[in-house]
């Protein structure tokens, strides 16, 4: 039956308690999040991009995913919110002068610091290894430590000088609560941009319809303008031929800007014709008086 003296069992072999939860090594987790692509699980190498939730990717991996979204990938859920290449921003990183490369300790004869990062903060000099919070700006893509942005408060980028706002600051590899806040901000921003595009499209369509207009209305307006021009010309000629000088003329009140202009032009033409008619008639009278005086005046020799 066993346990007859041949073996000496221990307590943990006889009494089975609850299993211990396996703890993830925090150092290994930091190295994985800050040194490897969140999509392809490969080493991060330039060009490096970040999404609106603060995750780091290789740009080549994101482009491959966008070209073929139907392909099976182990971490496809981390990029489900990425609709296009505009949803990610290429990062402007600062190299760490103390970084000696990945194979600097190939012999294994010296200590290798796993937390020595490739990139640092250009303001404070902190290494981007996950021990300190790092952020990037959506306007220019420059990366800084959270400490630098808190201590040196400014509205322009420390590296390139581009202006930015607090809403443009995205935390890289943030905690779960920070990721939830960034996701809510991302959705709100997308809703606003969508409504802005719709209102802009409505304005553009309204302006285009106002410029083009209804063809029937355009035809009727052109006919009306032609009739007004002919009427103005006819009345001007009739007034010069039939009306005597100084005769008064009644003008009907205009109902639009086009009719006012046509009436004004007609009055100007009538005044010109009146002046011509009066000058012609006065010259004719002077000639007749001169001829009468010459014929009736006796000549004395």
């Amino acid at each position: 039956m066993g346990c007859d003296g041949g073996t000496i069992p221990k307590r943990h072999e006889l009494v089975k308690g609850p299993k211990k939860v396996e703890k993830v090594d925090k150092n290994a987790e930091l190295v994985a999040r800050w040194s490897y692509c969140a999509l392809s699980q490969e080493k991060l190498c330039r060009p490096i991009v970040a999404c609106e939730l603060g995750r780091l990717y290789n740009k080549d991996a994101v482009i491959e995913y966008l070209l073929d979204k139907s392909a099976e990938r182990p971490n496809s859920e981390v990029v489900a919110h990425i609709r296009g290449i505009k949803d990610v921003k290429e990062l402007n990183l600062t190299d760490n002068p103390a970084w000696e490369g990945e194979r600097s300790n190939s012999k294994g004869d010296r200590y290798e610091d796993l937390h020595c990062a490739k990139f640092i903060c250009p303001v404070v000099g902190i290494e981007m290894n996950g021990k300190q919070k790092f952020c990037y700006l959506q306007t220019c893509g420059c990366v800084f430590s959270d400490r630098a942005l808190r201590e040196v408060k400014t509205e322009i980028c420390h590296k390139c000088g581009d202006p930015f706002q607090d809403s443009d600051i995205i935390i890289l590899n943030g905690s779960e609560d920070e990721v939830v806040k960034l996701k809510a901000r991302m959705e709100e921003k997308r809703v606003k941009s969508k409504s802005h595009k719709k209102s802009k499209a409505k304005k553009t369509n309204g302006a285009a319809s106002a410029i083009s207009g209804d063809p029937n209305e355009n035809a009727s307006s052109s006919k009306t303008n032609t009739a007004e021009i002919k009427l103005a010309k006819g009345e001007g000629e009739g007034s010069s031929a039939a009306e005597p000088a100084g005769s008064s003329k009644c003008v009907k009140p205009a109902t639009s800007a086009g009719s006012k202009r046509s009436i004004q032009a007609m009055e100007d033409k009538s005044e010109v014709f009146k002046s011509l008619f009066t000058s012609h008639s006065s010259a004719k009278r002077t000639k007749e008086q001169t001829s009468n005086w010459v014929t009736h005046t006796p000549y004395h020799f």
Side-chain angles (χ1 to χ4, degrees):
M1 296 296 293
C3 293
D4 53 356
T7 59
I8 303 175
K10 296 182 179 179
R11 182 178 183 281
H12 71 275
E13 295 177 356
L14 298 175
V15 180
K16 294 182 179 180
K19 293 183 178 180
K20 294 182 180 180
V21 180
E22 295 181 359
K23 294 182 179 180
V24 180
D25 188 6
K26 292 183 178 180
N27 294 330
E29 185 181 4
L30 289 177
V31 171
R33 293 177 68 182
W34 290 91
S35 301
Y36 292 86
C37 173
L39 176 61
S40 63
Q41 300 298 318
E42 296 178 356
K43 278 276 188 179
L44 286 173
C45 58
R46 283 192 170 100
I48 300 173
V49 297
C51 65
E52 293 176 305
L53 301 182
R55 300 188 180 113
L56 300 174
Y57 312 92
N58 286 328
K59 191 173 183 179
D60 298 339
V62 175
I63 292 175
E64 290 178 1
Y65 164 74
L66 294 175
L67 292 176
D68 186 12
K69 293 184 179 181
S70 60
E72 294 183 0
R73 293 179 177 83
N75 295 327
S76 59
E77 66 276 359
V78 299
V79 290
H81 61 284
I82 299 177
R83 304 166 299 177
I85 198 65
K86 291 183 178 180
D87 290 337
V88 295
K89 184 70 177 179
E90 186 171 347
L91 300 181
N92 185 10
L93 297 163
T94 304
D95 294 326
N96 184 7
W99 173 254
E100 297 179 358
E102 296 178 358
R103 298 184 179 181
S104 60
N105 192 19
S106 57
K107 294 182 180 180
D109 55 351
R110 59 177 180 172
Y111 173 72
E112 183 179 2
D113 187 6
L114 296 176
H115 296 289
C116 184
K118 294 182 182 180
F119 312 108
I120 60 172
C121 173
V123 179
V124 187
I126 300 174
E127 293 183 354
M128 197 176 75
N129 53 12
K131 291 185 177 181
Q132 300 288 339
K133 283 186 179 181
F134 270 75
C135 311
Y136 82 94
L137 306 179
Q138 282 189 315
T139 53
C140 58
C142 295
V143 180
F144 303 97
S145 63
D146 184 61
R147 175 183 168 187
L149 294 178
R150 282 188 287 103
E151 292 182 356
V152 187
K153 294 184 179 181
T154 180
E155 295 181 354
I156 61 174
C157 177
H158 298 293
K159 192 171 184 179
C160 63
D162 290 346
F164 69 92
Q165 299 177 356
D166 292 339
S167 59
D168 298 326
I169 301 174
I170 303 296
I171 299 175
L172 292 172
N173 289 327
S175 61
E176 294 182 359
D177 296 337
E178 291 171 344
V179 170
V180 170
K181 292 180 181 179
L182 290 174
K183 190 172 183 180
R185 187 200 301 180
M186 177 189 68
E187 293 175 353
E188 183 181 358
K189 186 177 179 181
R190 289 183 178 180
V191 169
K192 287 183 179 179
S193 63
K194 192 174 182 180
S195 61
H196 178 68
K197 287 181 180 179
K198 286 184 178 180
S199 62
K200 190 175 181 180
K202 288 181 180 179
K203 289 181 180 179
T204 306
N205 294 334
S209 61
I211 292 172
S212 61
D214 190 0
N216 297 327
E217 292 181 359
N218 292 336
S220 61
S221 62
S222 61
K223 289 180 181 179
T224 305
N225 293 335
T226 306
E228 289 178 354
I229 293 170
K230 289 182 179 180
L231 180 62
K233 288 183 179 179
E235 290 184 356
E237 293 175 357
S239 63
S240 62
E243 292 184 359
S247 62
S248 61
K249 184 178 181 180
C250 297
V251 180
K252 294 182 179 181
T255 59
S256 63
S259 60
K260 287 182 180 179
R261 291 178 184 174
S262 61
I263 292 171
Q264 183 66 28
M266 182 174 61
E267 290 180 353
D268 294 340
K269 289 182 179 180
S270 63
E271 292 295 332
V272 172
F273 283 116
K274 287 177 183 178
S275 61
L276 292 175
F277 181 75
T278 52
S279 61
H280 179 69
S281 59
S282 61
K284 188 174 180 181
R285 291 172 185 173
T286 306
K287 187 175 180 180
E288 290 177 355
Q289 290 177 1
T290 305
S291 60
N292 293 332
W293 180 77
V294 170
T295 50
H296 295 286
T297 302
Y299 295 93
H300 300 279
F301 298 97

